[in-house]
Amino acid sequence: MIRVLIVDDQVMVREGFSVLLNAMPDIEVVGEAVDGRQAVRKVALLKPDVVLMDIRMPEMNGLEATREIVAADADAKVLVLTTFDLDEYVYQALRAGASGFLLKDASAGQLAEGVRIVAAGEALLAPTVTKRLINEFSRLGSPRAPAQERIGELTERETEVLVLVAQGLSNGEIAAHLVVAESTVKTHVSRILVKLGLRDRTQAAVFAYEARLVTPGG
């Protein structure tokens, strides 16, 4: 079972998502929180696999809560909830450690599938949407020297795989592109995450853009 914590200051949103997710055979809503501060406490207490995190909330917003959850090395993956797909807070949340984002008007099927994908550590968004988001927040921020310096820790093949991950390719697609076994790609991705201290593929894509391995439109 995938354990989910729902964080939103609107009771109707929390109840609606809870009903939709609890109807799935492989997902269980283990708790709800009304703001970021309560979310941080409940993540520590309930140990959810996925946190559905609203961004705009009183007391402590979702961006600050995401930073605290990630800083605490929680195993929970944060899936940001937003009304607008180009909300600037989304870019900041991805930088803070969120694993992706989901629009609040997503269907029940999209919501459940998003939770499953994030729980598995895979990239949540379609490649075109992922690139659009990351390109945009890359444009908003200056190049990050630390990211560029850390690229030297990767082998040439690992760097190549990282670029393909940032372009939104799945392990199977990367394997076909490089003409190697999919298991080999999985090994490369795992090593990349360990070497760079990243949580998942979404963070790997963010890193690649910040290091300018991939540029907007690239």
Side-chain angles (χ1 to χ4, degrees):
M1 294 290 285
I2 301 172
R3 295 164 51 81
V4 176
L5 174 69
I6 299 174
V7 186
D8 197 292
D9 61 328
Q10 297 181 15
V11 64
M12 290 183 64
V13 172
R14 296 197 308 273
E15 290 181 350
F17 282 171
S18 183
V19 169
L20 292 175
L21 292 175
N22 276 328
M24 302 296 166
D26 58 337
I27 299 175
E28 176 188 10
V29 176
V30 296
E32 299 178 5
V34 300
D35 58 44
R37 197 175 308 282
Q38 190 177 75
V40 172
R41 292 198 302 268
K42 289 203 172 185
V43 166
L45 178 66
L46 300 173
K47 310 293 185 187
D49 300 304
V50 176
V51 180
L52 285 180
M53 180 76 75
D54 187 25
I55 287 292
R56 301 174 185 276
M57 296 180 292
E59 297 297 326
M60 177 189 286
N61 64 36
L63 178 60
E64 295 169 334
T66 296
R67 287 199 183 105
E68 290 206 14
I69 290 169
V70 173
D73 291 326
D75 291 330
K77 302 292 178 61
V78 178
L79 180 54
V80 171
L81 296 170
T82 181
T83 305
F84 308 105
D85 65 351
L86 286 178
D87 190 329
E88 183 178 341
Y89 282 108
V90 171
Y91 319 137
Q92 296 181 44
L94 288 174
R95 274 189 169 142
S99 296
F101 88 98
L102 196 66
L103 293 177
K104 284 189 175 183
D105 62 359
S107 68
Q110 291 171 328
L111 177 64
E113 188 60 20
V115 167
R116 294 184 186 108
I117 290 172
V118 167
E122 295 293 330
L124 170 64
L125 307 172
T128 54
V129 180
T130 303
K131 286 188 67 175
R132 181 160 59 92
L133 275 172
I134 298 177
N135 287 351
E136 179 64 15
F137 78 63
S138 180
R139 180 185 66 78
L140 293 173
S142 58
R144 298 203 164 189
Q148 292 175 316
E149 293 170 1
R150 290 165 62 195
I151 290 300
E153 301 173 25
L154 304 179
T155 65
E156 184 176 345
R157 176 46 63 92
E158 287 167 350
T159 302
E160 190 175 8
V161 169
L162 177 57
V163 169
L164 295 173
V165 167
Q167 291 173 342
L169 274 65
S170 67
N171 285 345
E173 291 168 335
I174 294 173
H177 181 82
L178 298 178
V179 195
V180 298
E182 188 170 345
S183 59
T184 300
V185 175
K186 289 181 180 178
T187 299
H188 284 313
V189 172
S190 295
R191 288 176 178 168
I192 290 167
L193 297 180
V194 170
K195 286 184 177 182
L196 300 179
L198 303 172
R199 289 165 61 88
D200 53 32
R201 294 172 74 94
T202 304
Q203 296 308 301
V206 170
F207 181 93
Y209 275 83
E210 291 189 333
R212 295 301 191 263
L213 284 177
V214 182
T215 55

